[in-house]
Amino acid sequence: SLNTFACDICGCFMGLTPYDNQSSIGLLYRYRSFNGYSGQKHQFFPSGSSFFIPRDKKDAPLTGHNNNPNDYELYRTMEIRGRYFIHRRLELNAIVPYNSNSERYNGNTSTISGISDINLFAGYHLIRKLDQATFNQRLIIGAGIKLATGRNDLKTNQGIRYATLMQPGTGSTDGFIYANYLLGYKKFGMSLNSSYKINGENKEQEGIANSSTTFLNFFYNQRLSTDWQVMPSIQFFYEKSAGETYKGVKTGDHEMNNLMGGIGADLFYKNIALNAGIQTNLWQAKTDHPQSAAKIYVGITYNINQLYYLLKN
């Protein structure tokens, strides 16, 4: 079986897992790189950047940019993830993220980090046909909320407040809905995930326009032994957002309309799952901001052998 939901906007991701209705706890690290303007080269790891969370650097002055090829924006997130099934068909999820964001414009680099916005969401398994010999399918529908728990008032040493997307938190309370459909044929499978996020505003009346994402995953399930199992996958990710807003008006900054593609692999040993994947930009609408270059994630999950549920069938 498969349970995948990936979204940079709401921070949700659950990798491939054979533990379809088992509670779990895990860690996930996500890295997202934006660099190179239209017509320029895009790099997974821009010169002078760091894949892992670096020390904060808050003393760089904020200046405009002029399409410098060395400009970049990096978004790193370490998440603690918990999932609890109160019924065989009903799951409750919580994500506690720690963000570290970096930007480099015209030779000036800033990095700030902190606890971000907590996500709480629930999913209902509307269709569950996962014990068939040939064809299997499953449909999950769900909804959730992103709480304004992260700080969004951090400033430079000169007392200038950082831009909204650089802050660890957004300062707004947002809601989202999602659906995950799985179709399997013997050892092959496909998972299609879509989400739509309704965003609020923070006290500065800043926000992000309502956003949508779609994640398509083709995978192959290979059991290596009684305890070991591996699932390689081919992944596609599409996201669209009108970008930042101020007082309810779209500013045009950080618009997103792009398609990414890549590969992933999930390795299982008994109750432990290791997840990893990498994607690069396949297509992007024209923008005057650094373009999407790379998206990488690695994670580990421990699945609990859950035998009882609070709500019976």
Side-chain angles (χ1 to χ4, degrees):
S1 62
L2 171 70
N3 186 12
T4 306
F5 181 56
C7 175
D8 280 351
I9 296 172
C10 67
C12 306
F13 178 90
M14 288 163 285
L16 314 184
T17 170
Y19 300 91
D20 184 71
N21 60 346
Q22 299 291 291
S23 298
S24 63
I25 186 169
L27 290 174
L28 182 76
Y29 184 72
R30 296 186 291 121
Y31 168 92
R32 186 74 186 270
S33 169
F34 294 82
N35 66 90
Y37 296 87
S38 179
Q40 295 178 349
K41 184 179 179 180
H42 312 303
Q43 299 178 328
F44 278 26
F45 309 105
S47 177
S49 68
S50 171
F51 174 73
F52 295 104
I53 296 176
R55 284 187 174 184
D56 284 8
K57 183 178 180 181
K58 301 181 180 179
D59 56 353
L62 301 180
T63 61
H65 57 85
N66 55 7
N67 290 8
N68 188 320
N70 295 318
D71 290 350
Y72 63 74
E73 296 176 11
L74 300 180
Y75 301 93
R76 314 172 192 85
T77 302
M78 175 64 77
E79 297 174 342
I80 300 175
R81 294 170 164 262
R83 178 176 62 170
Y84 179 66
F85 277 85
I86 62 174
H87 183 275
R88 289 182 63 88
R89 290 180 179 262
L90 182 60
E91 59 180 80
L92 304 179
N93 297 270
I95 299 176
V96 181
Y98 180 88
N99 284 354
S100 178
N101 304 325
S102 301
E103 65 176 352
R104 181 180 178 85
Y105 284 147
N106 297 333
N108 300 314
T109 305
S110 300
T111 297
I112 56 175
S113 308
I115 297 295
S116 187
D117 298 337
I118 294 175
N119 288 261
L120 303 173
F121 56 102
Y124 182 74
H125 293 227
L126 189 63
I127 298 175
R128 282 182 55 85
K129 297 288 185 180
L130 299 175
D131 55 356
Q132 310 302 305
T134 304
F135 284 99
N136 290 274
Q137 63 174 334
R138 185 200 60 205
L139 174 64
I140 302 175
I141 57 174
I145 187 172
K146 182 187 71 62
L147 304 176
T149 52
R151 290 189 61 180
N152 75 317
D153 58 354
L154 297 180
K155 299 178 180 180
T156 68
N157 292 343
Q158 293 78 26
I160 303 173
R161 180 175 170 269
Y162 282 97
T164 301
L165 293 186
M166 275 290 291
Q167 301 285 346
T170 63
S172 67
T173 299
D174 313 322
F176 57 91
I177 57 175
Y178 68 92
N180 165 231
Y181 178 69
L182 165 73
L183 178 64
Y185 174 71
K186 295 184 177 180
K187 293 185 177 182
F188 295 91
M190 177 205 74
S191 178
L192 179 64
N193 309 265
S194 291
S195 66
Y196 184 78
K197 188 159 177 282
I198 303 169
N199 296 301
E201 291 184 344
N202 57 29
K203 63 182 181 180
E204 287 81 16
Q205 296 183 284
E206 302 165 332
I208 302 293
N210 294 346
S211 315
S212 63
T213 63
T214 299
F215 186 79
L216 178 61
N217 198 354
F218 298 97
F219 65 94
Y220 177 77
N221 182 4
Q222 178 62 53
R223 182 167 290 281
L224 305 176
S225 67
T226 303
D227 295 331
W228 290 91
Q229 184 176 349
V230 64
M231 289 186 183
S233 60
I234 299 174
Q235 308 170 350
F236 298 94
F237 179 75
Y238 175 74
E239 57 190 337
K240 186 173 183 179
S241 168
E244 298 180 52
T245 64
Y246 180 66
K247 295 184 177 180
V249 178
K250 298 174 184 177
T251 65
D253 291 336
H254 291 93
E255 291 185 49
M256 298 291 293
N257 184 10
N258 65 282
L259 174 68
M260 305 189 75
I263 57 174
D266 293 63
L267 181 66
F268 305 94
Y269 175 71
K270 295 183 178 179
N271 289 28
I272 300 174
L274 299 176
N275 317 112
I278 183 169
Q279 299 172 15
T280 187
N281 206 39
L282 300 179
W283 173 85
Q284 179 164 333
K286 186 177 180 180
T287 175
D288 59 355
H289 286 270
Q291 296 191 334
S292 179
K295 182 175 172 169
I296 303 172
Y297 67 85
V298 291
I300 183 170
T301 303
Y302 178 77
N303 297 281
I304 301 168
N305 286 325
Q306 186 173 355
L307 301 177
Y308 304 100
Y309 304 90
L310 290 178
L311 302 179
K312 296 182 179 180
N313 290 330

